[in-house]
Amino acid sequence: MSDQEGARKGKGGTVFVRVEVCKGCSFCIDFCPTHCLEFSHGYNKKGYHYPVLTRPEDCTGCDMCGQYCPDFAIFGVRLKDLEARQRAATPEPLIPSQP
Amino acid sequence: MSSEWTNAELIQQYGIENPVMPYLRQDRLPHIWCPGCGIGTTVNCFTRALSESKLNLDEVVIVSGIGCTGRVAGYMNLDSFHTTHGRAIPFATGLKLANPKLKVVVYSGDGDLSAIGGNHLVHAARRNMDLMVVCVNNFTYGMTGGQVAPTTPLGPTQTTMPYGNFETPFNLPFLADACGAVYVARWTIYHVRQLAKAMKEGLEKKGFVFIEAMSPCPTLYSRRNRLGDGVDQVKYYKERSIIRNGADTKEVGLSFQGEIVVGKFVDRERPTWLESMNEHLGRVLGDKFTPYGV
Ligand code: SF4
Ligand code: SF4
Ligand code: SF4
């Protein structure tokens, strides 16, 4: 999943894929409005190809893939929401550490 | 993080999770449905409807019958009941009348609801029992091996119709409408947003709500009829469905791989069974009667 994490900041979105629960139905790939997912070359443990975000610049984080996935294996998130959540999850220290 | 992260790890590291997860019993996942089966997608829509409806989830109950769709109750993180075959609606009726503040959802398949439980469907709609019924229609009996169902269109083969089905199928929205349902809609799993919205409206509606969700069964129905994978059926839904809100339900019958009319067909007001009882007995008995469940 590391190559699919939100490396870009600000605009757009990214997806999180739980590779091992995917059953390779391709709903997410076929019905992503911006066609930014593709099947992996490799297989998961159950022998299915799973989706990979091959055009991350096109992903809007709309979560249509998440709404289509019958196995709850993928979801999309807007980068700005992701950053906000991450900040909330790891609050800034009140007293900044001295250099 | 490795590719085998769990929901808990994701929350810990990013402070986010898949928005459906809080509504599911995660210890029961992965579920048993086949690859490309659409039932999971309908569940996905249902969780979005629950989250948007802002209902108190302690007062929402889900009841399923038997069949592949009957498994839904077991995966939802709600009070849930897995009842005997066809008896989801009478069970739900009892729940609703014993505790009228509950929102009771019946979630089952076409076979369970319209064949084995057909009589219950008809009468709950006639009485306008305050229930939301989600009927996942995949044109077949999935769990028992692909027998012909009352919804199977004319033409396709099934294990019990090896030369093709010759029985006229039910037109479920017409059936529900004619029996008196106050809200009738049909969507396919291609229409995830609309299906979720219909379910949300259904959760908010008082009275008998009937939502038909068309969903592929790639393992039995599609394979036997050489219709490809689940995704090929969803592409067919995409290509051949026509949105016609308010359509006359008489005209929305389905044919084999033909046009699919989808939309919200009926949305009207009628007193529910409890309202009618209170009104009637209040009038007849006067002060001797205490209204129930208001
Ligand atoms: S979040 Fe939206 S744009 Fe991104 S992969 Fe999913 S469906 Fe496509
Ligand atoms: S929709 Fe879900 S199960 Fe299907 S290929 Fe995409 S991630 Fe896998
Ligand atoms: S048999 Fe058909 S309906 Fe049942 S889980 Fe498999 S694909 Fe879905």
Side-chain angles (χ1 to χ4, degrees):
Chain A
M1 194 198 71
S2 51
D3 56 332
Q4 303 178 34
E5 280 170 23
R8 296 158 305 123
K9 299 251 180 265
K11 285 215 182 77
T14 190
V15 294
F16 289 88
V17 184
R18 249 177 115 178
V19 168
E20 295 306 333
V21 295
C22 169
K23 291 182 190 157
C25 70
S26 125
F27 288 3
C28 58
I29 294 172
D30 280 74
F31 303 116
C32 162
T34 62
H35 307 288
C36 54
L37 297 168
E38 273 175 34
F39 270 129
S40 62
H41 292 295
Y43 301 93
N44 67 12
K45 280 197 195 125
K46 285 184 287 196
Y48 298 113
H49 295 291
Y50 48 87
V52 178
L53 187 61
T54 46
R55 280 178 291 281
E57 63 285 0
D58 291 342
C59 176
T60 58
C62 64
D63 193 33
M64 283 301 275
C65 48
Q67 252 196 72
Y68 275 108
C69 180
D71 287 277
F72 321 112
I74 188 171
F75 70 99
V77 57
R78 291 195 174 80
L79 288 180
K80 67 174 176 3
D81 295 343
L82 183 62
E83 284 160 21
R85 288 297 190 90
Q86 256 179 303
R87 272 201 301 279
T90 48
E92 303 268 325
L94 286 175
I95 305 163
S97 55
Q98 297 297 319
Chain B
M1 232 190 260
S2 74
S3 65
E4 285 177 61
W5 48 270
T6 63
N7 199 45
E9 284 165 357
L10 195 66
I11 296 175
Q12 201 183 10
Q13 184 157 343
Y14 291 98
I16 55 165
E17 63 179 328
N18 189 335
V20 307
M21 282 304 167
Y23 299 92
L24 301 175
R25 296 185 193 191
Q26 293 170 39
D27 53 331
R28 296 291 195 89
L29 298 176
H31 57 57
I32 61 151
W33 296 312
C34 308
C37 175
I39 299 171
T41 305
T42 69
V43 171
N44 214 324
C45 294
F46 183 55
T47 64
R48 320 260 161 170
L50 281 175
S51 98
E52 276 174 32
S53 72
K54 307 270 189 301
L55 288 169
N56 174 2
L57 295 188
D58 289 341
E59 292 179 355
V60 182
V61 185
I62 179 164
V63 185
S64 281
I66 299 296
C68 292
T69 318
R71 305 293 299 228
V72 170
Y75 296 123
M76 296 302 301
N77 193 8
L78 298 170
D79 286 339
S80 60
F81 298 89
H82 192 183
T83 67
T84 46
H85 208 348
R87 313 304 164 216
I89 289 179
F91 191 93
T93 302
L95 270 176
K96 178 72 195 173
L97 296 183
N99 188 353
K101 74 172 194 292
L102 295 179
K103 183 77 222 177
V104 185
V105 180
V106 173
Y107 210 113
S108 213
D110 51 314
D112 185 74
L113 284 168
S114 72
I116 302 93
N119 201 23
H120 303 303
L121 175 71
V122 166
H123 291 287
R126 175 180 64 83
R127 290 165 164 161
N128 198 21
M129 200 51 73
D130 191 4
L131 304 173
M132 168 164 131
V133 175
V134 177
C135 175
V136 177
N137 184 359
N138 51 20
F139 298 140
T140 191
Y141 288 99
M143 190 166 274
T144 49
Q147 291 82 0
V148 72
T151 45
T152 310
L154 291 170
T157 62
Q158 301 279 38
T159 43
T160 49
M161 280 286 183
Y163 301 106
N165 177 32
F166 54 82
E167 289 180 7
T168 307
F170 267 142
N171 170 356
L172 292 177
F174 181 42
L175 178 70
D177 180 11
C179 295
V182 290
Y183 184 104
V184 181
R186 171 197 283 150
W187 296 102
T188 76
I189 65 150
Y190 171 69
H191 304 90
V192 279
R193 292 260 153 104
Q194 293 94 327
L195 181 57
K197 178 158 175 260
M199 287 172 169
K200 174 175 175 265
E201 288 175 359
L203 286 170
E204 285 160 0
K205 184 96 188 163
K206 224 176 161 62
F208 191 84
V209 171
F210 185 84
I211 299 170
E212 179 183 9
M214 288 176 62
S215 156
C217 172
T219 303
L220 294 159
Y221 182 81
S222 297
R223 191 171 56 93
R224 183 163 278 279
N225 291 292
R226 302 182 190 283
L227 299 174
D229 282 333
V231 70
D232 297 308
Q233 271 306 82
V234 187
K235 284 182 191 157
Y236 149 64
Y237 298 158
K238 177 182 176 183
E239 279 152 22
R240 298 301 305 276
S241 43
I242 301 175
I243 300 181
R244 215 175 275 154
N245 289 314
D248 184 347
T249 51
K250 238 186 232 157
E251 278 143 30
V252 302
L254 298 166
S255 59
F256 181 51
Q257 295 299 94
E259 184 178 278
I260 308 164
V261 180
V262 294
K264 173 162 80 173
F265 304 136
V266 175
D267 191 354
R268 61 185 162 208
E269 302 298 329
R270 256 181 79 204
T272 65
W273 188 87
L274 265 181
E275 286 166 355
S276 305
M277 180 191 80
N278 282 332
E279 194 271 331
H280 178 75
L281 294 184
R283 192 157 30 83
V284 175
L285 300 176
D287 294 343
K288 277 186 281 179
F289 178 69
T290 322
Y292 177 71
V294 283

